[in-house]
Amino acid sequence: MSVLSCNNICLAFGTDVILNNINFSINAGSKLGVVGANGAGKSTLLKIINGEIDSDSGSVSIAGGLKCAKLEQYTDSSFAGMTAMDVAFTRFTDLISLEEELQHLEALLQNGDESTIEKYTALRDRFTFLGGYEYKSKACAMMKKLGFNDDDLRKEANTLSGGQKTRLSLAALFMCEPDIILLDEPTNHLDVDAAIWLEEQIRSSNATFIIVSHDRYFLDRTTTDTLEIENSKGTIYSGGYSLFKEKKKKLAEDAQKHYQLQQKEIARLEAFIENQRKWNRERNIIAAESRMKAIARMDKLERPENAPSAIKINIESERKGAYDVLSVRGLSKSFGAKQLFTNLTFELKKKDKQFIVGGNGTGKSTLLKIINGVLSSDSGVVELGYNQQCGYYDQEQMLLNDSLDVITELWNAYPSFNQTELRSALARYGFRGNDVFKTVSNLSGGEKARLAIAKLVLSGASLLILDEPTNYLDIPSKEVLEAALNDYSGTLLCVSHDRYLISSLATKILDIDARYEQGFMFYNCGYDEYLKQKPRFAETAELPKKLSCGAEDYLNRKKEISNKRKEEKLRAKLEKCIADAEQRLSDLEQLSQEHATDYVRLAEIEEEKASLENDLLRYYDKLLELI
């Protein structure tokens, strides 16, 4: 059953057509991925569906009674004066209002005002039906699953990192349980663990999703259909991103082939007509007219439109360096009391493509900065091999001068180039015409990324050190960069959360995670094999990190296992108490209806219900402490 449909959606800004007759419908429970180049109108379409902006023409239809919600990209002003827990509760304003009203009525009842019994009972029933007694525990449980501890929940939301703010926004969205969920770049700032959690939430949800994303791996694992917006038009494909890509390529090849065959046939007929006219006899004229009618009857195919021009990257290593490219020995780094890594040691050889993965804040970018000489380590040695040249890409684009224009930024780095060579190089990265005179500070995130990559490529480095190189890039640009890195003859050391990029390129993986005994682990394999080999920490998270045969360690482990068993027993007991209390409340509800006119009995029932509800709250609070 269709729950949402867009009918002939059109939008233009002046003469710039953004969306042109976008038509699609989506069934209940479907997960639709929306893809396209930057500026294609993907986010604009979500805003139209969500009612944030109006289209010039067309309509959006949502099935009656269904609730639609969009992932909010919170700003610092919207977080002002709120803790993380306050933000998580923002989707429960109706329940909070009901709860406050119930508390007011309870106070009146305790003071002997029996006239409020009927209103109190109706409100309490509605509060129960809407999940009023569970929303706080559900909210806390979800926040903890997303990596928020008790201290995080009490923090000012404005002080959270970008990744935490994204996760907080996601938690608030999922807790209100909408029927249709709109997600705009939901994996931005998320580490791999949080992205996997989000994938599981989407796949297991019965809600309908429309997801705008440049994360190809994420789209493959979550979406059932794909809407591509290209040249202001929309085309629906069944299947996730990889399947869409194959189908699009085949359709484009077929369309080009059919167009060329038709053009060849038209040219043949026109040549025949021209030849017959030269003879200028009656039978020749009749033959020519017959072919002219055949051409007129043809259903003319339009020339297939070219895809928007993508950047062009060809990365070459101009150095003939040694086989030993980089040696890192005994590297340690901490900030205050926080130890990032200790005694980190590894070697990079020619043509290695090593990726560094791990959660946010584990020290991945710090490690790259140390290797590149931007930061100093507490201890350890970093040595480049003979005749190696290092090229560094910083995800924060700190190596760009915001006060310069684009062409001057590149010219300062490569003064031997003339203007024609520089403009030709910049054109390959999407800077054409007057774009080369834009000030760096006025560039978008994607434009800054392309400029930084252009500077890097021209260096001819034999070792590329890249920190999140695909951030801000649209999918076509990501695929061009991925192909260039795949063909690159030098050595690659890269930090990335882009699992599609990692799975395509990685030959080695360094996983930085405090749950390993040393805080990190090397995997001499690609991404898929790494996923198979990586320990399932969730199953042993409560065991000590370091297992030794010492008596003290043994006793500590035994104590922890004993505590775990006690917690499991207490959890089971609480769950049984909750089930019994809820069943008794259900029985009392039935008794309330049977004794609706017996006010004495009704008062006794209400008193018991109030007591049970207080018990339930205590049970939920205790259960929450065990989560």
Side-chain angles (χ1 to χ4, degrees):
M1 180 188 76
S2 175
V3 294
L4 183 148
S5 62
C6 288
N7 308 298
N8 299 315
I9 298 293
C10 296
L11 181 71
F13 297 123
T15 58
D16 188 9
V17 177
I18 306 299
L19 302 172
N20 183 22
N21 288 326
I22 303 295
N23 287 282
F24 70 90
S25 61
I26 183 168
N27 293 329
S30 294
K31 279 76 175 174
L32 177 68
V34 184
V35 300
N38 285 338
K42 306 181 298 297
S43 296
T44 301
L45 178 61
L46 286 198
K47 290 178 180 178
I48 291 172
I49 292 172
N50 199 44
E52 297 172 51
I53 60 175
D54 295 326
S55 59
D56 296 335
S57 61
S59 62
V60 176
S61 301
I62 297 176
L66 297 186
K67 182 168 60 173
C68 181
K70 182 170 174 275
L71 175 64
E72 298 292 344
Q73 300 296 334
Y74 285 103
T75 62
D76 285 344
S77 59
S78 61
F79 277 132
M82 302 174 74
T83 65
M85 203 70 246
D86 292 334
V87 176
F89 288 156
T90 53
R91 299 279 183 168
F92 297 106
T93 51
D94 291 345
L95 284 174
I96 291 171
S97 296
L98 276 176
E99 191 171 27
E100 291 172 352
E101 192 170 356
L102 278 171
Q103 289 170 354
H104 173 67
L105 292 175
E106 283 174 1
L108 293 177
L109 282 171
Q110 289 172 1
N111 291 331
D113 186 355
E114 295 184 359
S115 64
T116 60
I117 289 178
E118 186 175 346
K119 183 178 180 181
Y120 172 80
T121 302
L123 279 178
R124 192 208 55 235
D125 290 346
R126 176 167 174 74
F127 187 68
T128 303
F129 176 75
L130 294 175
Y133 294 110
E134 298 92 27
Y135 80 92
K136 289 183 180 178
S137 58
K138 283 171 62 178
C140 290
M142 181 169 287
M143 296 290 283
K144 291 190 176 183
K145 284 180 182 178
L146 277 168
F148 291 91
N149 57 36
D150 291 335
D151 289 337
D152 293 330
L153 297 180
R154 289 189 289 267
K155 282 181 181 176
E156 285 284 328
N158 277 339
T159 65
L160 300 176
S161 67
Q164 286 176 314
K165 287 178 181 178
T166 300
R167 286 184 276 137
L168 182 57
S169 302
L170 285 166
L173 176 64
F174 279 114
M175 281 186 285
C176 73
E177 298 181 343
D179 304 290
I180 301 170
I181 299 176
L182 311 178
L183 301 179
D184 192 357
E185 295 295 352
T187 59
N188 278 2
H189 307 295
L190 293 186
D191 58 28
V192 172
D193 287 342
I196 290 172
W197 173 87
L198 179 56
E199 289 168 0
E200 292 171 350
Q201 289 292 310
I202 293 172
R203 288 203 303 268
S204 62
S205 174
N206 292 323
T208 303
F209 286 81
I210 302 179
I211 305 168
V212 168
S213 180
H214 288 140
D215 188 332
R216 298 162 291 171
Y217 199 95
F218 177 78
L219 289 170
D220 265 344
R221 290 177 60 83
T222 57
T223 57
T224 57
D225 302 281
T226 302
L227 169 67
E228 183 192 34
I229 300 179
E230 185 177 86
N231 296 318
S232 74
K233 298 176 183 176
T235 306
I236 283 279
Y237 299 82
S238 61
Y241 176 77
S242 293
L243 194 55
F244 139 74
K245 189 178 172 184
E246 292 176 7
K247 289 182 176 180
K248 182 187 176 183
K249 182 181 178 182
K250 181 68 166 58
L251 287 172
E253 290 172 350
D254 290 346
Q256 185 65 30
K257 182 179 179 181
H258 292 158
Y259 174 78
Q260 290 174 345
L261 287 173
Q262 188 180 70
Q263 291 300 304
K264 185 177 180 180
E265 177 63 9
I266 290 173
R268 186 187 69 79
L269 292 174
E270 287 176 342
F272 179 85
I273 292 168
E274 184 65 25
N275 189 51
Q276 293 300 312
R277 282 175 173 169
K278 287 179 182 178
W279 293 96
N280 200 26
R281 295 175 183 173
E282 183 178 355
R283 65 185 182 188
N284 300 115
I285 292 171
I286 293 172
E289 289 177 348
S290 172
R291 300 305 190 277
M292 289 172 64
K293 290 177 181 177
I295 293 175
R297 287 195 298 269
M298 280 185 182
D299 185 10
K300 304 293 191 305
L301 299 175
E302 294 184 7
R303 181 190 294 273
E305 291 187 82
N306 293 324
S309 57
I311 63 175
K312 299 176 182 178
I313 302 176
N314 181 27
I315 307 176
E316 296 181 358
S317 173
E318 297 177 357
R319 294 288 183 105
K320 301 296 182 183
Y323 180 73
D324 295 320
V325 176
L326 178 70
S327 176
V328 175
R329 301 189 298 276
L331 214 60
S332 299
K333 182 65 178 177
S334 62
F335 289 103
K338 183 176 182 180
Q339 186 73 41
L340 295 180
F341 42 80
T342 304
N343 197 31
L344 181 59
T345 300
F346 65 90
E347 304 282 333
L348 280 183
K349 307 298 182 182
K350 190 173 182 179
K351 294 190 177 183
D352 278 348
K353 290 181 171 62
Q354 178 169 300
F355 279 75
I356 305 172
V357 300
N360 291 332
T362 56
K364 304 184 299 299
S365 297
T366 299
L367 174 59
L368 294 195
K369 286 180 168 67
I370 291 171
I371 292 172
N372 203 58
V374 178
L375 290 176
S376 59
S377 62
D378 297 337
S379 62
V381 177
V382 175
E383 287 183 347
L384 279 175
Y386 171 73
N387 200 32
Q388 301 291 342
Q389 181 182 351
C390 181
Y392 178 48
Y393 173 90
D394 179 9
Q395 67 166 327
E396 298 167 353
Q397 280 94 43
M398 291 172 61
L399 303 181
L400 299 177
N401 188 332
D402 282 348
S403 64
L404 299 179
D405 59 32
V406 170
I407 193 166
T408 305
E409 172 70 23
L410 204 58
W411 217 332
N412 284 353
Y414 303 100
S416 62
F417 284 51
N418 61 43
Q419 189 177 72
T420 301
E421 290 171 327
L422 288 172
R423 294 195 69 145
S424 176
L426 287 169
R428 292 197 294 273
Y429 293 85
F431 297 99
R432 300 178 178 87
N434 290 330
D435 288 344
V436 301
F437 301 115
K438 285 182 178 179
T439 305
V440 171
S441 61
N442 293 328
L443 298 180
S444 67
E447 287 172 324
K448 285 184 177 180
R450 287 189 271 119
L451 178 57
I453 291 170
K455 281 184 65 177
L456 181 67
V457 168
L458 291 175
S459 71
S462 57
L463 168 62
L464 294 181
I465 298 179
L466 310 180
D467 190 0
E468 297 290 359
T470 58
N471 274 8
Y472 307 110
L473 295 182
D474 56 22
I475 289 179
S477 299
K478 286 182 179 182
E479 291 177 340
V480 172
L481 177 61
E482 181 184 302
L485 291 174
N486 187 56
D487 294 336
Y488 175 55
S489 60
T491 304
L492 176 65
L493 180 64
C494 181
V495 165
S496 182
H497 288 139
D498 187 337
R499 290 166 292 167
Y500 204 98
L501 181 75
I502 302 171
S503 63
S504 299
L505 298 179
T507 60
K508 294 180 176 180
I509 289 176
L510 165 59
D511 187 3
I512 301 180
D513 191 322
R515 293 174 293 183
Y516 291 115
E517 183 176 339
Q518 292 182 296
F520 58 87
M521 181 66 73
F522 283 96
Y523 295 86
N524 193 24
C525 59
Y527 187 68
D528 291 340
E529 185 61 31
Y530 151 76
L531 291 177
K532 294 177 184 176
Q533 294 183 22
K534 182 176 181 177
R536 294 182 176 273
F537 289 116
E539 296 175 1
T540 58
E542 295 181 20
L543 294 176
K545 293 177 184 175
K546 186 174 181 179
L547 301 178
S548 72
C549 57
E552 185 177 351
D553 284 350
Y554 170 78
L555 291 174
N556 286 336
R557 290 203 310 277
K558 188 173 181 180
K559 183 178 179 180
E560 287 192 22
I561 292 170
S562 175
N563 289 338
K564 181 180 177 182
R565 287 174 179 165
K566 288 178 182 177
E567 285 183 2
E568 288 174 349
K569 288 180 180 179
L570 180 56
R571 185 182 290 111
K573 183 178 179 180
L574 287 171
E575 287 172 351
K576 185 177 187 307
C577 290
I578 288 170
D580 291 344
E582 287 177 342
Q583 180 59 49
R584 180 56 181 163
L585 280 173
S586 177
D587 295 342
L588 290 173
E589 192 63 37
Q590 183 64 33
L591 288 172
S592 295
Q593 296 175 9
E594 294 174 2
H595 298 277
T597 57
D598 186 346
Y599 293 103
V600 175
R601 179 63 178 131
L602 195 60
E604 293 172 352
I605 292 171
E606 290 301 323
E607 184 178 351
E608 185 180 353
K609 286 166 77 173
S611 175
L612 280 170
E613 285 161 358
N614 287 331
D615 289 343
L616 264 177
L617 286 175
R618 286 192 297 102
Y619 296 151
Y620 278 122
D621 287 340
K622 289 181 179 178
L623 188 61
L624 183 58
E625 292 173 3
L626 299 176
I627 294 175

